[in-house]
Amino acid sequence: MTTATRLALAPLTLSLAVTFSGAVVANDHHAGPNFSGTLTGGVLNVQDRDADLWAFKAEAGLGGVYTVNDGLRIRYDLVADFANAINSVDEQTWTPGGHRQDDGEIYMRTARVLLMTDYGTIGLQPRVPSGFWGHIYRNVDVFEYNRFHGQTGQNAIFGQAEQGSDVFSYGSPRFGGFQFIGAVLTTNAQNDQDFDVVTGRLVYDQGPLNFGVGHTQVRRPGIDDLHRTSFGIGYDFGMIQLGGVYEHNDDRENNESPADFDAWGVNVSASLSDAWSVSLGYAENDKNLELDNDALVGTIRRHFNHNVYAFLEAGRYDRTDNNVAAGLSVSF
């Protein structure tokens, strides 16, 4: 079965799983389905490229939770991303999902079922945002367009991807703010290897402090033994939030390859008032073959309420194209 076929079947698989779950627990409590979405749109001006109206984020979906009994809940989520279908993506730009070959198509961002028990959570996730990225890199991932992850095209600073597919995961119960999460991913169904990515992380999130450390082993075309270790930390002082992340990529077959590098980033955000906030971040990597890069990004937001804000953002890169972005974000 090809990757395209598997992705096309992913929503159907989720639908059948939820339907089956619903048949089993039809007489029990169901919170949902709850509908939600975000549209962040405006203007993107990339160096040496015409300014363009741009969908920085365009998501809509539904989710809910079945409570079977005191020891088992079943959560489901199905979210579509429309940015690829809206934007005109080229080598100087990127769109959430990072799959340029799907330019013009609706991208299924989330399709998952979670079995939540007293002993932890099992995730069956054909498509899902990366929990590894979300837990460890979140304190520097605070910008609208300049997000640094491995799927941001020419301006990618880190190797870690923001989106995952074919994910089987386990998350332990929380103990004093600590949680362990492990996962395996099958990103290539045609290479005679069931698990292409094996990853685990320990995270802490309690009060103003959060941090996480994780390790990932990746096998992908051209790289059979890539190891990635990441550490992220953040602290909320109230008005000021500080964050940082460090990533080490070790290509154990070829330490001269572009996949063997270190990267790091720091960020400071400030809530100036209920209406205004600002963020300033810096990140860099030391890739081989003169592919190293660094970035300085700043954004200012005008908040109208919790669901609506306007923003102005600028990113300056050492080797790749600078950009300016402005727009409005509405969530529901």
Side-chain angles (χ1 to χ4, degrees):
M1 183 181 296
T2 65
T3 300
T5 303
R6 290 187 298 110
L7 296 184
L9 290 177
L12 176 60
T13 303
L14 178 69
S15 176
L16 291 174
V18 173
T19 300
F20 176 76
S21 301
V24 173
V25 298
N27 295 323
D28 294 284
H29 180 66
H30 176 211
N34 301 310
F35 295 89
S36 63
T38 299
L39 176 59
T40 303
V43 178
L44 174 65
N45 188 358
V46 175
Q47 180 182 353
D48 298 326
R49 183 184 187 274
D50 293 343
D52 196 4
L53 292 176
W54 203 259
F56 300 95
K57 189 174 185 179
E59 294 181 5
L62 58 85
V65 177
Y66 283 100
T67 300
V68 180
N69 53 47
D70 291 340
L72 174 62
R73 294 177 296 155
I74 300 174
R75 174 177 172 177
Y76 61 91
D77 296 280
L78 185 62
V79 178
D81 185 289
F82 300 89
N84 267 359
I86 297 169
N87 296 325
S88 299
V89 183
D90 59 25
E91 291 302 316
Q92 291 178 286
T93 58
W94 73 279
T95 290
H99 292 260
R100 288 198 177 95
Q101 66 272 21
D102 294 333
D103 186 12
E105 298 180 7
I106 295 174
Y107 182 82
M108 296 307 302
R109 179 160 170 78
T110 305
R112 69 178 179 181
V113 173
L114 302 179
L115 307 178
M116 301 181 290
T117 76
D118 295 338
Y119 304 99
T121 299
I122 295 174
L124 309 173
Q125 304 171 99
R127 181 69 64 76
V128 69
S130 167
F132 196 98
W133 174 268
H135 277 130
I136 296 179
Y137 296 76
R138 65 177 187 171
N139 297 296
V140 299
D141 184 25
V142 300
F143 302 103
E144 304 294 334
Y145 181 75
N146 299 276
R147 296 186 57 198
F148 303 144
H149 62 71
Q151 293 164 309
T152 53
Q154 61 162 349
N155 288 341
I157 297 294
F158 298 103
Q160 175 64 38
E162 189 268 349
Q163 185 77 30
S165 60
D166 301 299
V167 182
F168 179 80
S169 64
Y170 169 76
S172 73
R174 290 187 177 274
F175 298 100
F178 286 94
Q179 184 182 29
F180 172 80
I181 303 98
V184 292
L185 291 75
T186 303
T187 57
N188 185 345
Q190 308 297 329
N191 63 353
D192 297 323
Q193 183 170 272
D194 289 330
F195 303 142
D196 302 301
V197 179
V198 179
T199 180
R201 60 190 183 275
L202 179 68
V203 297
Y204 175 87
D205 190 352
Q206 188 164 289
L209 175 66
N210 72 81
F211 64 83
V213 60
H215 186 81
T216 300
Q217 182 179 9
V218 181
R219 298 179 178 91
R220 66 185 190 218
I223 300 177
D224 192 56
D225 195 16
L226 174 65
H227 289 252
R228 177 179 299 125
T229 303
S230 307
F231 174 76
I233 188 170
Y235 197 91
D236 187 347
F237 292 92
M239 181 179 175
I240 303 292
Q241 299 86 44
L242 298 179
V245 66
Y246 170 78
E247 176 188 276
H248 174 66
N249 295 275
D250 180 11
D251 183 347
R252 298 190 177 180
E253 294 183 314
N254 181 10
N255 60 13
E256 299 297 324
S257 78
D260 191 292
F261 68 95
D262 292 337
W264 62 275
V266 292
N267 180 78
V268 55
S269 296
S271 302
L272 304 179
S273 68
D274 291 338
W276 293 94
S277 67
V278 296
S279 295
L280 182 65
Y282 176 83
E284 70 173 48
N285 60 36
D286 63 357
K287 286 187 176 182
N288 297 309
L289 306 179
E290 296 186 349
L291 297 174
D292 56 300
N293 203 2
D294 63 60
L296 179 65
V297 181
T299 190
I300 182 168
R301 294 182 177 91
R302 171 64 167 90
H303 303 269
F304 300 102
N305 54 47
H306 290 297
N307 296 319
V308 181
Y309 63 85
F311 68 91
L312 175 63
E313 179 173 303
R316 183 212 58 81
Y317 291 81
D318 179 39
R319 290 189 179 272
T320 51
D321 295 319
N322 302 330
N323 62 77
V324 177
L328 185 69
S329 180
V330 179
S331 300
F332 61 89

